[in-house]
Amino acid sequence: MFERFRRRDKPAKTTSLISSLTRLKIGHVLFRPSLIASGIALAVTAAGGIFADYQNRIVHQQSDRAAVGKQLGQVRARLESNITSNIQLVRGLVAVIATHPDIDQEQFSSIVSGLLDRHSQLRNIAAAPGLVVRLMHPIDGNERAIGLDYRKNEKQREAAFRAVNSGEMVLAGPVDLLQGGRGFIGRFPVFVNRGDGTSRLWGIVSAVIDVDRLYADSGLLAADLPIDIAIAGQDATGDGGAIFFGPADIFDNEPVLAEVPLPSGSWQIAAIPRGGWSDAPANAWQIRFIILFAGLLVVVPISIAGGLYDQRRAHICELRRRQSQLQKLSQRLKLALDTSKIGVWELNLTTSELTWDRRMRELYGIPYDVEPTEYGSWSARLHPDDRARAEAEFREAISSGGTYNSEFRAALPDGGFRWIRAMGAVHDDIGGQRYIVGVNWDVSDDILLKTNLLAAKQNAELRNRELEDARAQMEYNSLHDSLTGLPNRRFLDQHLLCGHVHRKPTALLHIDLDRFKQINDTLGHAAGDAMLVHAAAILRANTRTGDFVARIGGDEFLIATTSPTSEEQTSALASRIIEQMRQPVPYDGHECRFGVSIGIAMADTSADDCGQQLLVDADIALYRAKSNGRNRFEFFSASLKAEIIRNKSVADGILKGLERQEFLPYFQPQFDAETLDIVGVEALARWEHPTEGLLAPEAFLRIAEELNVDPLIDHTILEQTLWQSVRWKAAGISIPRMSVNVSAGRLHDTDLISYLESLAFEPGTLSFELLESIFLDDRSEAIASNFDRLKSLGIDIEIDDFGTGYASIVSLIHLRPTRLKIDRQLVQPVVGSDSQRRLIASIIDIGQSLGVKVIAEGVETREHAAILRDLGCDTLQGYAFAPPMSSERLMEFVRREQWRKAA
C-alpha cells in the first residue's frame, strides 16, 4: 500500500522540481553543440559577406577615381595646351624685340595685333624698355599702364626683378589688373646682344592672359563637366601655393591630383565627382541580398539539424533528472513519514478495500500479523464516545468529495485510549476507481497541552479581571482623596479644568481652612484629619446635584458649580459654608474651632473661559480674602485683576531694578534736640524708576517683601551708604552716625555677620533700624545671637516705629537697644493734646531709665521741636529741619547749615 501511495503522490510532489529542471534546461541551452555549430556557420557566412561587400565598395571607389582621373586628364591637357600656346606667342615677340631693340609703337602694335586673335587668351601685351612701360597694345583701356616704372611700383617690382634676375619668363597670378578684371601675367626678360658675345638687358615684355577666357577655353567652366575642380599654386608655386580656382575643401576630400607644368613652376589640379564621392556602389543591395541568401542556405539546415539533436539530448537529460528527482522525493517522503510517526491509509470507495501501513497498526494497537482489510476494522477501534461524530465527519468528506479533517480517540487493547488527528482527500485514479487517501498521527500530547493551555488561559483571564479591578481601584485612588473620599487635584485637572471637557464650571469656590494648623499642631494629626472629614461633610451637604467638590491640598477644598448660577446664589452658598464651618467641633473632649476663607471666581458665559484660568482667578480672590482678615469670602473682579497685573508689573520692575542698580539711598538728617547739631542721617530706600521717577518705599516695599528680595534692597542701600560716607569724609563733611533699615529676613540670615565683617566702617558710626514687632516679639536664637555679634562689631541697634507694635518692657530690658524711635503717629498730635504729651513723656522716661536714647520722627514744625526738646527727647528728625535728600544735596545742605538759619 505504501508503494502504491507513493506512486500516486508523485505528480503532485514533483511539480516544483519540474519547474526547477525546466529552468536548468533553459540555462543549459546556451551550451548546446548545435548552437555552437550554427554560430560558427553564421559567423563564417557573415564574415564572407562582409568581405565581399567590402571588396565591392573598393572596386566601386577605384572605378570612380579612374573616371574622375580621365575627365581631369582631359581638362589638364587643354589647360596646359592653352598656357603653352600663349607663352610661345609671346616668346616670338620677345625674339623680334631682341633683334630690333629700337622697335616703335606702330611696329609693336602691328606685331601684337596679329598675336591677339580669337585662338589665344592674350588680353594685352606691354613692353618696358629700361623697365618703364612705353609700348602697349591695345592702347584703348590700358592707358593707365603706360609709363609704369617697375623699379618704383612696389606691387610689381618683385616679380619684374625675379624675371630679370632669373633670365627666364615668370608667370604670376591670377592678379587684379589696373585695367580691371583678373589675369595671369607672364613677364619675359629681353636681352640684346652687344656683338662681342655678351648681352645687355633691354627691358621686360609683359603679357596678360585673360583668366575667364583661359578657364572657359580649357573646359573648367563647362556646365556639363561631371567633376568638381580646384587649382592650387598661385604664382606657379605648385602644391604648396594658394588655391585660386574652385572650392578649397576639394583638396580635403581625397581628390584625384594632377600637375600642370609651367615654365617657371607648376600648378596642382584636384578633382572629385560632382556632389562628392559615393560610399555605396549602385549594386550594393543586390550583392548583400545574394550574400544573405547564400548564408541562409548554409545556416538554416545546420540550425535545424542541430536543434533536433539538442532536443533529443534535452529529452534524455530531462528523463534522467526526473528519475533522479523522483527517487529523491520518494526517499524524502519515506524519511518524513518515519520520523514524524505519521500513519498512511487508503480506502477504495469502489471495492471498500482498506490498506494501512505499519505505523497505522501501531497507532490503533493492531498486531502486525492482523491485516485490516475493511472499513469496520477502523470503526471498531474508535472510542465509543467519539464513534458517531468521527464516522459522520468521514461520511461527510466522502459525500462532498472534499478534504477530510477530524480528531477522535482510539481505544487501545490495554484499556487506554489515544487521541488521533486524521486528514485525507478524495480522488479518482486513471482507471476510474474512487479512493480516499489520508494520514493519521498521535496528538495526545497536543490535546493535553491544549487542555493545559485552556486552563491557563482561563486562569489568566481571571487574573486579568482581578488586575483590571485592581487597576480600576488604583485609578480611583489616584483620582480621589483617601481621607475624605473627595476627588483630588488630578481628578479636577482631568475631568473639569481641561479644555476638552464637556461640563465646564460656571463658578469656582476656592476654600482654605483658617487656624487648621493650630489644631493639627496642638491636638495631633488625628484631630486634623477629623476636622478635614468634618469640613468635607459640610461642603457635600451644601452643594447641589451636579456640583463638584474636591480636596486639592492639605487644608484646601474646591467647589465647582456646573449648572447656571448667579453671584447672589454663590454668595449665599459661601455664607452658609462660613457659618457652619465656624461652629465648634467636638473631638476627644475638646471643642475645636476653625474658620474658612473663600475666593470665588464666576465664569463668563459669553466667553470660552478656561477652567485653569478660572482656578487662578479663584486663588487670587482667596488671597484677597485672607489678606482682608480671613473667615470671609471675596469675588474675583476686574479691579482685583488689574491690581494683580499692577503688582506683577511692579515685581518685574523690582527684579530688573536690582539688576540695573536702580535702588539708591536718600538721607534725612537727625539733629540734637538741644544744640541742633547733626548727629546722624537715616538712609531711606528710593527706587529711581525709569518711567515713573523717584518712588518711595510705600510703592514697592510690600511687593519686595512678597518676592523676598527686601534683604537684597537692604544690602544695596547699606553698601551705597557706606560708599557715600567715604565721599563725605573726603569732602570734609562730618556725619557721626548712619542708620539703615534692616528687614526680618536679614536678621535670620546666619551669614549676616560674616558679610558685615567684610565691610569697611568705623565702629559706632553704623546703626541698624528694626521694626518694633520684629525686634521684640521674635525670640529666635539666630536673631539673639546676631544681636550680640552686631554689638561686638560696633553696630548700634535701633527700634523703629516704637509705640505701634506689641513690645514689652521685659523685651527692652533683655535686648537693650541703643536707641528707640517714636513713631510719627504718636508725635503728630503732641501739639494739641496733653494726653499725647504725657504718653510721649512716659516713653522718654522709660528709655532714659533703661539708658536708651530716644529719637522722635515726623517733626513737622518748630513747635513740635520745642515741645519734644522740653520733654527730654534726645534727637529730632523731620521735615521741620530737612526732608530726605540725595548725597549731593546733603553735602551742600551741611556746608551751608541752612537748618540753623531757619531755626
Side-chain angles (χ1 to χ4, degrees):
M1 175 266 171
F2 176 80
E3 292 297 329
R4 185 173 10 164
F5 170 76
R6 185 174 62 190
R7 288 195 300 272
R8 287 178 185 142
D9 191 59
K10 177 186 67 176
K13 296 293 184 178
T14 58
T15 302
S16 61
L17 180 61
I18 292 173
S19 300
S20 301
L21 292 175
T22 303
R23 288 192 295 271
L24 292 172
K25 173 185 175 183
I26 293 172
H28 185 69
V29 167
L30 297 175
F31 304 98
R32 291 188 302 181
S34 63
L35 287 181
I36 296 174
S38 299
I40 293 173
L42 181 60
V44 171
T45 303
I50 293 171
F51 180 74
D53 185 65
Y54 173 73
Q55 289 297 322
N56 185 41
R57 283 189 279 112
I58 294 297
V59 171
H60 168 69
Q61 292 174 1
Q62 291 174 351
S63 176
D64 281 355
R65 294 187 73 85
V68 171
K70 181 179 178 182
Q71 290 290 334
L72 180 61
Q74 293 174 4
V75 173
R76 185 200 65 79
R78 287 196 296 269
L79 180 61
E80 181 180 356
S81 175
N82 290 331
I83 292 295
T84 302
S85 63
N86 290 327
I87 291 174
Q88 290 303 323
L89 290 174
V90 181
R91 285 187 187 279
L93 176 62
V94 171
V96 172
I97 295 175
T99 57
H100 298 84
D102 54 351
I103 187 171
D104 58 15
Q105 176 64 45
E106 183 179 354
Q107 293 172 338
F108 183 79
S109 296
S110 175
I111 296 171
V112 173
S113 61
L115 301 178
L116 302 181
D117 59 6
R118 62 185 180 84
H119 297 293
S120 72
Q121 290 82 35
L122 294 172
R123 179 173 176 178
N124 59 71
I125 300 175
L131 299 181
V132 178
V133 177
R134 303 186 189 280
L135 303 176
M136 175 67 70
H137 184 83
I139 296 176
D140 295 339
N142 298 309
E143 294 86 351
R144 297 175 59 188
I146 298 175
L148 174 66
D149 188 344
Y150 284 115
R151 291 169 295 187
K152 298 180 179 179
N153 190 290
E154 293 182 359
K155 293 183 179 179
Q156 300 192 34
R157 178 173 55 191
E158 182 182 355
F161 278 96
R162 185 153 53 90
V164 171
N165 293 334
S166 65
E168 298 291 338
M169 186 275 290
V170 174
L171 183 64
V175 298
D176 295 327
L177 302 174
L178 293 175
Q179 305 89 327
R182 290 170 58 82
F184 293 98
I185 301 177
R187 294 183 175 88
F188 300 80
V190 181
F191 294 92
V192 179
N193 291 325
R194 289 192 177 96
D196 57 358
T198 62
S199 61
R200 66 175 179 84
L201 178 65
W202 175 86
I204 292 177
V205 173
S206 298
V208 177
I209 301 173
D210 188 273
V211 168
D212 295 334
R213 286 174 58 191
L214 177 63
Y215 291 165
D217 292 345
S218 301
L220 291 173
L221 303 179
D224 58 349
L225 188 65
I227 59 176
D228 291 331
I229 296 176
I231 305 174
Q234 187 173 359
D235 295 333
T237 55
D239 58 358
I243 299 171
F244 61 86
F245 178 82
D249 59 353
I250 291 178
F251 281 92
D252 299 329
N253 199 12
E254 298 182 359
V256 176
L257 302 175
E259 186 175 353
V260 179
L262 300 172
S264 59
S266 65
W267 291 340
Q268 188 175 53
I269 185 169
I272 62 173
R274 180 156 291 180
W277 299 106
S278 174
D279 291 334
N283 63 346
W285 284 108
Q286 296 175 0
I287 297 299
R288 291 171 184 170
F289 281 126
I290 293 172
I291 294 171
L292 178 61
F293 181 72
L296 291 176
L297 290 178
V298 175
V299 174
V300 170
I302 294 175
S303 299
I304 294 173
L308 294 175
Y309 173 75
D310 285 343
Q311 188 176 7
R312 180 176 178 275
R313 289 183 69 251
H315 289 166
I316 294 173
C317 291
E318 182 67 18
L319 180 60
R320 289 175 180 173
R321 287 193 187 93
R322 288 190 178 185
Q323 289 176 346
S324 176
Q325 189 67 21
L326 182 59
Q327 184 178 2
K328 290 180 181 178
L329 288 175
S330 298
Q331 291 174 352
R332 291 175 185 171
L333 180 59
K334 184 177 183 303
L335 180 62
L337 292 174
D338 290 343
T339 56
S340 63
K341 298 181 180 180
I342 294 177
V344 181
W345 53 269
E346 180 184 65
L347 177 63
N348 189 327
L349 299 177
T350 305
T351 63
S352 297
E353 180 184 0
L354 179 64
T355 305
W356 280 10
D357 67 352
R358 180 179 57 83
R359 179 57 183 164
M360 286 291 293
R361 293 188 180 92
E362 292 177 358
L363 288 174
Y364 288 88
I366 298 177
Y368 293 112
D369 55 349
V370 177
E371 181 68 31
T373 58
E374 59 182 12
Y375 173 80
S377 301
W378 170 72
S379 177
R381 289 292 182 177
L382 295 178
H383 193 281
D385 296 340
D386 298 341
R387 181 177 294 118
R389 176 180 57 80
E391 289 183 338
E393 292 173 348
F394 188 72
R395 288 193 298 269
E396 174 64 24
I398 294 174
S399 62
S400 64
T403 58
Y404 168 55
N405 287 281
S406 181
E407 281 186 0
F408 48 82
R409 286 171 291 180
L412 301 178
D414 59 0
F417 65 89
R418 177 180 288 128
W419 279 97
I420 302 295
R421 181 171 296 160
M423 297 180 63
V426 178
H427 73 96
D428 297 328
D429 67 357
I430 300 176
Q433 291 188 339
R434 200 167 185 228
Y435 291 85
I436 180 169
V437 179
V439 294
N440 283 183
W441 68 93
D442 186 357
V443 292
S444 299
D445 292 340
D446 293 346
I447 296 298
L448 178 60
L449 178 61
K450 183 178 179 180
T451 304
N452 293 337
L453 288 177
L454 182 61
K457 179 183 177 182
Q458 294 173 347
N459 290 334
E461 290 176 350
L462 178 61
R463 182 62 177 167
N464 286 339
R465 285 194 295 271
E466 293 175 352
L467 291 175
E468 183 63 25
D469 294 341
R471 188 201 65 78
Q473 184 61 42
M474 291 173 62
E475 179 68 16
Y476 179 85
N477 292 340
S478 69
L479 296 175
H480 291 77
D481 176 40
S482 59
L483 177 64
T484 62
L486 295 176
N488 58 18
R489 178 60 183 267
R490 185 165 175 256
F491 186 100
L492 180 71
D493 291 339
Q494 289 185 4
H495 295 83
L496 194 67
L497 300 184
C498 294
H500 60 272
V501 297
H502 298 292
R503 290 195 310 161
K504 293 186 178 181
T506 57
L508 286 185
L509 285 76
H510 193 175
I511 302 166
D512 184 78
L513 302 185
D514 298 329
R515 297 184 300 280
F516 173 76
K517 184 176 183 301
Q518 287 81 349
I519 297 174
N520 214 30
D521 293 343
T522 56
L523 299 180
H525 291 288
D529 291 345
M531 299 305 105
L532 292 174
V533 172
H534 173 74
I538 291 176
L539 296 179
R540 283 198 188 97
N542 284 278
T543 53
R544 298 170 298 180
T545 303
D547 289 347
F548 179 87
V549 182
R551 181 188 177 197
I552 61 174
D555 59 350
E556 293 184 46
F557 296 85
L558 183 135
I559 296 177
T561 61
T562 57
S563 57
T565 186
S566 63
E567 289 192 5
E568 291 77 11
Q569 293 173 324
T570 308
S571 298
L573 172 62
S575 299
R576 290 197 305 272
I577 293 173
I578 292 173
E579 179 62 28
Q580 294 179 23
M581 288 288 189
R582 66 161 57 108
Q583 302 302 319
V585 181
Y587 175 78
D588 196 21
H590 300 277
E591 284 193 351
C592 301
R593 295 178 180 271
F594 60 90
V596 290
S597 298
I598 304 176
I600 305 172
M602 303 295 294
D604 187 355
T605 57
S606 62
D608 188 16
D609 279 349
C610 173
Q612 291 289 353
Q613 183 58 48
L614 206 61
L615 180 59
V616 172
D617 295 344
D619 188 60
I620 293 172
L622 173 64
Y623 177 79
R624 173 53 57 88
K626 283 182 168 295
S627 62
N628 286 345
R630 302 177 183 268
N631 207 29
R632 57 185 292 129
F633 65 87
E634 291 286 346
F635 279 92
F636 178 82
S637 62
S639 60
L640 180 58
K641 182 176 182 180
E643 181 181 344
I644 295 299
I645 294 174
R646 167 64 182 172
N647 291 343
K648 174 66 168 56
S649 176
V650 172
D652 293 340
I654 290 173
L655 297 177
K656 292 179 181 178
L658 287 170
E659 294 175 358
R660 296 195 290 250
Q661 299 292 323
E662 293 174 357
F663 290 92
L664 68 159
Y666 263 49
F667 303 98
Q668 188 171 27
Q670 297 173 338
F671 301 89
D672 183 277
E674 295 292 339
T675 65
L676 296 184
D677 292 335
I678 294 179
V679 295
V681 293
E682 180 182 5
L684 302 171
R686 293 293 185 267
W687 180 10
E688 196 168 27
H689 197 279
T691 58
E692 298 182 17
L694 196 67
L695 301 180
E698 293 80 8
F700 60 85
L701 187 58
R702 179 181 61 83
I703 298 175
E705 290 173 350
E706 292 176 359
L707 293 174
N708 199 30
V709 297
D710 49 324
L712 296 178
I713 297 176
D714 294 347
H715 175 94
T716 299
I717 299 302
L718 173 60
E719 290 187 349
Q720 293 192 41
T721 299
L722 294 177
W723 164 243
Q724 295 299 333
S725 70
V726 174
R727 292 185 60 204
W728 300 335
K729 184 177 295 185
I733 296 174
S734 175
I735 303 295
R737 185 183 66 253
M738 298 161 291
S739 299
V740 294
N741 291 280
V742 178
S743 62
R746 292 291 283 168
L747 291 178
H748 287 87
D749 187 0
T750 57
D751 297 330
L752 174 63
I753 301 304
S754 60
Y755 165 70
L756 293 174
E757 289 174 345
S758 66
L759 300 178
F761 62 91
E762 294 181 8
T765 61
L766 182 64
S767 296
F768 280 179
E769 290 192 12
L770 309 176
L771 292 177
E772 177 188 8
S773 57
I774 297 173
F775 183 83
L776 300 174
D777 292 343
D778 198 327
R779 302 298 179 87
S780 169
E781 293 297 329
I783 291 180
S785 174
N786 282 339
F787 281 167
D788 295 337
R789 297 291 300 278
L790 290 174
K791 292 178 181 178
S792 66
L793 290 175
I795 299 175
D796 296 337
I797 303 299
E798 297 180 4
I799 303 175
D800 195 12
D801 299 339
F802 186 82
T804 61
Y806 306 95
S808 64
I809 303 299
V810 175
S811 298
L812 286 174
I813 297 172
H814 177 69
L815 295 174
R816 294 280 183 175
T818 305
R819 282 172 289 276
L820 61 84
K821 182 181 290 187
I822 303 174
D823 187 75
R824 67 181 64 249
Q825 297 181 32
L826 301 178
V827 172
Q828 290 297 321
V830 74
V831 175
S833 173
D834 292 337
S835 62
Q836 200 71 20
R837 290 183 187 181
R838 288 192 294 273
L839 175 61
I840 296 296
S842 299
I843 295 174
I844 294 173
D845 291 341
I846 292 172
Q848 290 177 347
S849 63
L850 295 175
V852 178
K853 297 290 184 180
V854 178
I855 303 173
E857 65 176 350
V859 181
E860 304 296 333
T861 65
R862 294 301 177 180
E863 189 176 359
H864 282 97
I867 294 173
L868 292 169
R869 180 196 58 199
D870 294 342
L871 292 175
C873 185
D874 299 296
T875 306
L876 304 177
Q877 176 182 344
Y879 279 81
F881 297 100
M885 62 189 71
S886 65
S887 177
E888 287 73 13
R889 285 191 56 194
L890 176 65
M891 289 190 289
E892 184 66 23
F893 179 81
V894 173
R895 287 193 186 100
R896 296 185 178 183
E897 295 189 350
Q898 294 175 349
W899 72 93
R900 295 189 185 277
K901 298 176 183 179

